Amino acid sequence: MAGKDYYDLLGVKKGVSDKEIKQAYRRLARKYHPDVNAGDKSAEAKFKEINAAYEVLSNKENRRKYDKYGDKWQYADQFDEAERQQAQYRQYSRGGGESSHFGGDIGGLDSIFEELFGGGRGRVFSRRSQPSRGHDLESPVEVTLEEAYAGTSRTISLQMEAPCSVCKGSGMIQNLPCSACRGSGAVPQIKRLEVKIPPGVATGSRIRIAGKGQPSYGGGTSGDLYLKITVRPHAKFERRGDNLHTEVPVPLTTAVLGGEVQVPTPKGKLALKIPAETQNGRVFRLSGQGMPHLGKSARGDLIARVSVVLPTKLTDEEKELFRQLSEARPA
Ligand SMILES: [Zn+2]
């Protein structure tokens, strides 16, 4: 019960040994025992109080809880759980800790009491006079190279917190921590959100979507949402910065006599003129046909490397032509 301090009741200081507590209790128990105070109601009440105090302080675990949480010691497990959850949320919101509902000024006992018992107000949604900003969220997003090239959109699921519907976000029901949210006032909530991914993203890009993080239920601004991008590898293109590298198969005759080939780009094929006597491995740079620079209109280049394809399954006639060629140009 709120009110008298157990140590005060036994007339000892907080840090005393178990033995001193026992001695103090024995002394007081003798003094206020009903047998020696027959009919004395105040002595009987006092006797009950010192027994209650001794019952808690003589038990190691309960004394530890009492030392930490005072007359709310019976909720120690809930407090510890709340603390554990706060730590988890702090970690979850990584770096956003300072502005997080759960991070920042979680100081210890006083703030936990204030949060859980302060006038029945929940710790998450209405705990500070200065409304705090909702914490930032991060969501991984995987896109194809084509999507990274053109930009795309995604519907993502975010785990957020919402006020607990059982206790209306207060964390308390009839002066006890709400069991539905374990006194936190918040419950996890999945929220679906459509997000735009701009052209030019690369693996490791962090796209900030302002105001789409955890809402602040205390009247502050919402946190931001960060999309952590991974671009899947592509079968045809190797990306180096905003340049794309690709290999272009060129038939032997085209390489020798010159002609035109089709070069793949993320938005379709492009015609490339091949000069006569183009060697295997020759590189052509198609300016501005690479990936867009993120947030800019400029683009990288497409680097096309010639891969001469020798003919197979020759007909007798073709073999004869190569024989003639071979005689005309002996090695
Ligand atoms: Zn609740």
Side-chain angles (χ1 to χ4, degrees):
M1 288 298 99
K4 289 175 191 165
D5 181 86
Y6 287 163
Y7 289 102
D8 287 348
L9 279 170
L10 295 182
V12 294
K13 292 236 162 22
K14 197 175 172 180
V16 299
S17 68
D18 293 345
K19 196 177 158 195
E20 283 171 277
I21 286 177
K22 199 177 200 171
Q23 286 169 344
Y25 167 70
R26 281 188 173 160
R27 186 167 41 78
L28 290 168
R30 274 197 294 271
K31 187 173 167 190
Y32 292 104
H33 199 281
D35 288 357
V36 295
N37 296 279
D40 185 342
K41 287 282 171 206
S42 77
E44 191 187 325
K46 184 85 176 168
F47 185 72
K48 278 181 182 164
E49 280 180 340
I50 59 174
N51 272 295
Y54 184 67
E55 207 177 294
V56 172
L57 297 186
S58 60
N59 177 298
K60 230 179 186 55
E61 181 59 15
N62 289 344
R63 186 179 175 189
R64 182 195 68 78
K65 291 175 178 174
Y66 185 80
D67 285 352
K68 199 171 173 194
Y69 296 112
D71 58 11
K72 312 285 195 310
W73 68 273
Q74 287 173 85
Y75 305 121
D77 292 342
Q78 278 108 318
F79 290 133
D80 289 344
E81 173 66 15
E83 263 187 315
R84 194 189 61 76
Q85 285 189 350
Q86 285 170 342
Q88 217 171 41
Y89 275 113
R90 263 198 300 272
Q91 200 177 16
Y92 176 67
S93 64
R94 250 178 292 172
E98 217 171 60
S99 55
S100 157
H101 278 302
F102 292 92
D105 67 353
I106 289 150
L109 190 52
D110 286 350
S111 63
I112 292 172
F113 278 175
E114 200 178 292
E115 287 150 19
L116 290 178
F117 292 95
R121 307 179 73 194
R123 71 179 166 86
V124 177
F125 302 106
S126 56
R127 114 169 173 247
R128 298 188 199 165
S129 51
Q130 190 80 1
S132 61
R133 183 176 169 275
H135 60 245
D136 293 339
L137 298 176
E138 190 177 80
S139 179
V141 176
E142 202 176 270
V143 297
T144 63
L145 188 85
E146 284 86 353
E147 288 176 317
Y149 180 89
T152 186
S153 64
R154 279 283 190 286
T155 302
I156 56 172
S157 296
L158 293 171
Q159 176 154 347
M160 294 192 169
E161 297 138 22
C164 171
S165 59
V166 176
C167 62
K168 307 274 185 289
S170 71
M172 298 293 293
I173 289 178
Q174 295 177 339
N175 286 324
L176 290 175
C178 168
S179 59
C181 61
R182 295 190 228 202
S184 72
V187 290
Q189 184 195 44
I190 303 293
K191 198 169 170 185
R192 284 161 75 80
L193 185 71
E194 163 130 358
V195 292
K196 281 200 176 354
I197 294 152
V201 292
T203 293
S205 296
R206 269 182 111 228
I207 304 301
R208 177 173 168 264
I209 300 184
K212 294 295 181 189
Q214 172 66 40
S216 167
Y217 293 96
T221 53
S222 294
D224 296 332
L225 169 64
Y226 287 90
L227 305 178
K228 197 165 177 255
I229 306 288
T230 302
V231 180
R232 280 202 281 272
H234 196 281
K236 279 189 183 148
F237 303 106
E238 189 198 332
R239 182 177 182 170
R240 296 183 204 162
D242 285 332
N243 288 340
L244 289 176
H245 293 248
T246 191
E247 206 153 271
V248 186
V250 177
L252 174 68
T253 48
T254 310
V256 173
L257 303 172
E260 212 177 79
V261 293
Q262 299 292 308
V263 179
T265 79
K267 61 171 177 185
K269 289 187 167 171
L270 271 182
L272 174 66
K273 251 179 113 85
I274 299 290
E277 296 176 18
T278 290
Q279 298 294 310
N280 188 43
R282 181 167 171 184
V283 163
F284 293 92
R285 180 178 288 261
L286 286 74
S287 182
Q289 297 296 334
M291 297 297 285
H293 298 315
L294 184 59
K296 294 176 192 157
S297 58
R299 287 170 182 274
D301 299 333
L302 180 68
I303 316 291
R305 189 171 187 274
V306 168
S307 172
V308 174
V309 182
L310 300 182
T312 55
K313 294 175 186 162
L314 295 176
T315 62
D316 289 345
E317 195 186 348
E318 287 166 337
K319 279 183 194 161
E320 180 53 32
L321 290 170
F322 272 103
R323 215 166 282 130
Q324 288 175 23
L325 179 64
S326 158
E327 281 160 17
R329 295 182 65 106

